[in-house]
Structure formats: C-alpha cells, structure tokens
Amino acid sequence: MPQQTFTYPDVGATAGEFPPGYHHFRLRRRIGSGRAFFDQAAEQVLTYRMQRGSGVFQHATTPEARPGTDITVRIGVGPIGFTAPCRVVYVVDEPNRRGFAYGTLPGHPLRGEELFAVEYDPADDSVYGIIASFSNPDPWYARLGAPVVRLVQRWFSGRYIAALEPH
C-alpha cells in the first residue's frame, strides 16, 4: 500500500518560522525542575505520554517517535468523535530540548503540524512543556465549527502538558 502524503505543503515548518495563512498556536508552561526530570519528561514525550495522558492516543507504528512513524489519535466520546491520522515529521534531540513534530494526513480534521517538546533552562534549572502548531480546519464541518475547534485545540494542549507534570 502506498504511503499517504501530508495534507499541507509546509512540512517541517514547526522547526522554524511558522508559515502564513494558518492559525498559529504556542503554549510553553513550566512543569518541573532538574536535569533528571527533563530527561524523564523527554523520554515520556518521545513515547507518546502527552497523547496517552490526555486520552487521545490510539496507535503508533513505532514504540518511540521517529521520522515516518504513523500515529493515530481519536478525539470524542464513545461512538461520537473522529480519528485523526498523523505522521512524525522530525525528532528534536538537542541537549536542552527534545520532542517531535507530526503532520496531518488525509482524514484528519485539521491541516497542519504540531510540535510536542520539553525544554530545560540551565540558568534556573526549570523544565518546560511545549506545544506549538500551525493549522487550519480542513473538511467543511471543521471549518463550520472553527471557533470550537480552536477551543478544543487549546484545551487539549493544556492536557498534553499536564500529562508530563509530576502527580
């Protein structure tokens, strides 16, 4: 079976300047402190803890995020909801920043890309959860409900980061 292509032309753009013509979203929140906590949180991000912890994770083709991994998330309650296929575009593996970005595939209600990462600030030992995305609603029903889609996106971003916080 041939591999599906991304539903947007700006593949990889969450790594730099976000492209015009999309809704841009960024959330950066302190989740803890210490290099050990950063390493632990980074491992959790790369093994989909943000998606699992927020209740949307359905499937990934690899146990750890890497370019080309297909991920399926499902948003909804019971039979009411939608399945959203994505593919990992790149992995961030820097001394003070780790994570991955995935892009939307056909069938996803949005068109765009989302970054899931953690950052370590050696100046004060803080660890931050990061969600950054650019997207637009794709099918007619998502465009019709765009304001609600944005609220849901913000709400889930908070849940993604909360999944990494110590409990």
Side-chain angles (χ1 to χ4, degrees):
M1 184 168 95
Q3 195 175 51
Q4 293 181 311
T5 59
F6 292 102
T7 58
Y8 62 103
D10 306 293
V11 176
T14 52
E17 188 70 29
F18 285 8
Y22 295 90
H23 175 264
H24 298 177
F25 176 78
R26 288 179 171 86
L27 177 63
R28 181 177 189 256
R29 187 167 72 205
R30 188 179 188 280
I31 58 172
S33 63
R35 176 59 76 174
F37 179 74
F38 167 75
D39 290 337
Q40 175 188 6
E43 181 181 335
Q44 290 177 348
V45 169
L46 292 171
T47 57
Y48 321 112
R49 174 72 182 136
M50 289 176 138
Q51 291 77 16
R52 291 178 200 276
S54 65
V56 300
F57 181 84
Q58 193 169 32
H59 175 74
T61 57
T62 61
E64 185 172 292
R66 64 178 189 233
T69 296
D70 285 341
I71 299 172
T72 306
V73 296
R74 185 171 193 296
I75 298 173
V77 178
I80 301 169
F82 59 87
T83 301
C86 309
R87 180 169 298 130
V88 175
V89 176
Y90 65 88
V91 171
V92 178
D93 186 11
E94 300 168 4
N96 295 324
R97 184 177 169 129
R98 294 196 200 125
F100 70 94
Y102 62 44
T104 58
L105 296 174
H108 197 294
L110 299 176
R111 245 182 335 103
E113 195 169 288
E114 193 162 22
L115 170 69
F116 305 89
V118 289
E119 288 181 347
Y120 175 71
D121 185 346
D124 68 357
D125 213 31
S126 292
V127 178
Y128 294 89
I130 309 286
I131 303 293
S133 67
F134 63 87
S135 63
N136 283 325
D138 194 27
W140 67 268
Y141 59 86
R143 287 191 304 270
L144 187 64
V148 173
V149 170
R150 299 290 173 231
L151 287 173
V152 170
Q153 191 177 32
R154 288 182 184 280
W155 184 73
F156 267 104
S157 293
R159 287 183 56 133
Y160 287 146
I161 291 177
L164 298 177
E165 294 173 334
H167 298 284

